[in-house]
Amino acid sequence: MTSVPVRTAHNGFTLPAIGLGTYRLNGDAGAAAIAAGIDAGYRLVDSAFNYENEGAVGRGVADAATDRAEVIVTTKLPGRHHPSEKARTSIEESRFRLGLDATDLHLIHWPNPSQDEYVQAWAALVDAQARGIVRQIGVSNFLPEHLERIERETGVRPVVNQIEVHPYFPQSEQLAFHQEHGIITEAWSPIGRAKEMLDEPVIQEVAAAHGISAAQTVLAWHVARESVAIPKASSLEHQKANLAAATVILDAAEVEAITALGRPDGRMFDGDPRTHEES
């Protein structure tokens, strides 16, 4: 089984450098794919209320032959549930759907700053952690200003910030901020616009040099930058290939060359956390 490096947060919480994304893994087929991935070696499974698959994730975790205690199950609080009472109920309902005694990692999905309710949502997660129904708490798509505010107003710093990171949008400054503050960076859509990106000559060249696929090259780039990539994969073949990328070591020049693919318009969609509104 592939040995995956770990990343450590300010409080000692650790995550493996490669996790399993589950967006659009639903129903029986989704649960079977998740169980297979866990038994292939994944120890981090990522979901969200808005993916509408918490039930499939919970079933996959239960059906896996792997000890439940070894698996970190993540879900996310949606924007429409930021107000305190809605947040409290949403957090509880997610745990019920997952079928867990406690959710391992619960994130706020987007800050939705124009609504100005994300501090309430964070306080609800702090409370849920104190009540023991959530083990670790974090955020997603938060900018440094949002991170600083929730810590200033609650005294609690997130262990994770899950953000868009890929070669077209490398987010070097935000990664540096996270590292300075002991916040683990998780990368959603880690392979970005896969077809266009994977055909980039520099990625093809690095892949050829290491005898790996272009997708594995991008995942190895994430590992080298000390972030946590959570690619989605439904087939066991792709799941194993993604995990294997964790053992590939790129040199500094290769990492720098891939990072140089960054573009001003590199986002996957109009997802600037300053303006994006998630329901």
Side-chain angles (χ1 to χ4, degrees):
M1 187 173 293
T2 300
S3 178
V4 179
V6 299
R7 307 296 176 231
T8 305
H10 57 84
N11 65 352
F13 175 62
T14 61
L15 287 179
I18 302 284
L20 180 63
T22 68
Y23 181 60
R24 293 184 178 173
L25 295 183
N26 300 79
D28 287 341
I34 292 161
I38 293 169
D39 288 338
Y42 285 89
R43 294 297 178 264
L44 170 63
V45 178
D46 182 79
S47 181
F49 185 102
N50 276 350
Y51 297 172
E52 299 183 348
N53 71 345
E54 290 170 318
V57 169
R59 181 59 180 268
V61 171
D63 286 351
T66 302
D67 186 346
R68 152 72 186 110
E70 295 183 19
V71 183
I72 299 167
V73 181
T74 307
T75 193
K76 306 181 192 75
L77 179 75
R80 62 189 178 279
H81 294 168
H82 280 192
S84 297
E85 288 305 313
K86 286 184 178 181
R88 182 185 178 98
T89 301
S90 180
I91 293 162
E92 294 167 348
E93 288 286 348
S94 284
R95 179 172 66 100
F96 297 153
R97 279 190 296 275
L98 288 163
L100 304 176
D101 59 336
T103 305
D104 299 304
L105 178 61
H106 211 123
L107 313 179
I108 299 174
H109 208 152
W110 287 84
N112 287 14
S114 68
Q115 297 178 24
D116 197 24
E117 295 169 335
Y118 64 88
V119 176
Q120 292 183 57
W122 182 244
L125 281 176
V126 171
D127 174 69
Q129 186 178 38
R131 290 188 289 132
I133 65 171
V134 172
R135 294 194 172 95
Q136 299 289 339
I137 56 176
V139 296
S140 182
N141 300 299
F142 273 46
L143 298 171
E145 63 209 58
H146 306 136
L147 294 167
E148 290 173 341
R149 182 181 175 195
I150 59 174
E151 182 175 3
R152 183 173 65 249
E153 297 197 20
T154 67
V156 179
R157 181 181 302 175
V159 294
V160 164
N161 189 15
Q162 185 180 125
I163 60 175
E164 180 180 0
V165 183
H166 47 75
Y168 284 164
F169 197 62
Q171 296 247 58
S172 297
E173 290 184 5
Q174 179 113 12
L175 263 67
F177 179 91
H178 291 169
Q179 289 173 354
E180 180 182 352
H181 292 83
I183 299 170
I184 299 171
T185 301
E186 286 188 335
W188 59 258
S189 289
I191 303 176
R193 305 167 193 163
K195 183 63 175 73
E196 179 184 4
M197 182 182 298
L198 298 184
D199 286 340
E200 288 283 354
V202 65
I203 291 176
Q204 290 288 327
E205 290 167 10
V206 174
H210 290 270
I212 58 176
S213 71
Q216 287 177 310
T217 300
V218 174
L219 294 176
W221 172 80
H222 284 283
V223 173
R225 299 177 87 226
E226 300 189 358
S227 61
V228 173
I230 44 174
K232 188 198 83 171
S234 56
S235 76
L236 185 58
E237 178 185 3
H238 286 158
Q239 290 173 349
K240 289 181 176 180
N242 289 346
L243 268 183
T247 65
V248 177
I249 299 175
L250 305 185
D251 65 35
E254 291 170 327
V255 173
E256 184 178 350
I258 295 172
T259 303
L261 293 172
R263 305 173 174 180
D265 63 346
R267 291 187 185 275
M268 292 281 291
F269 62 94
D270 185 19
D272 186 340
R274 292 179 180 85
T275 56
H276 182 74
E277 295 293 318
E278 180 246 6
S279 63

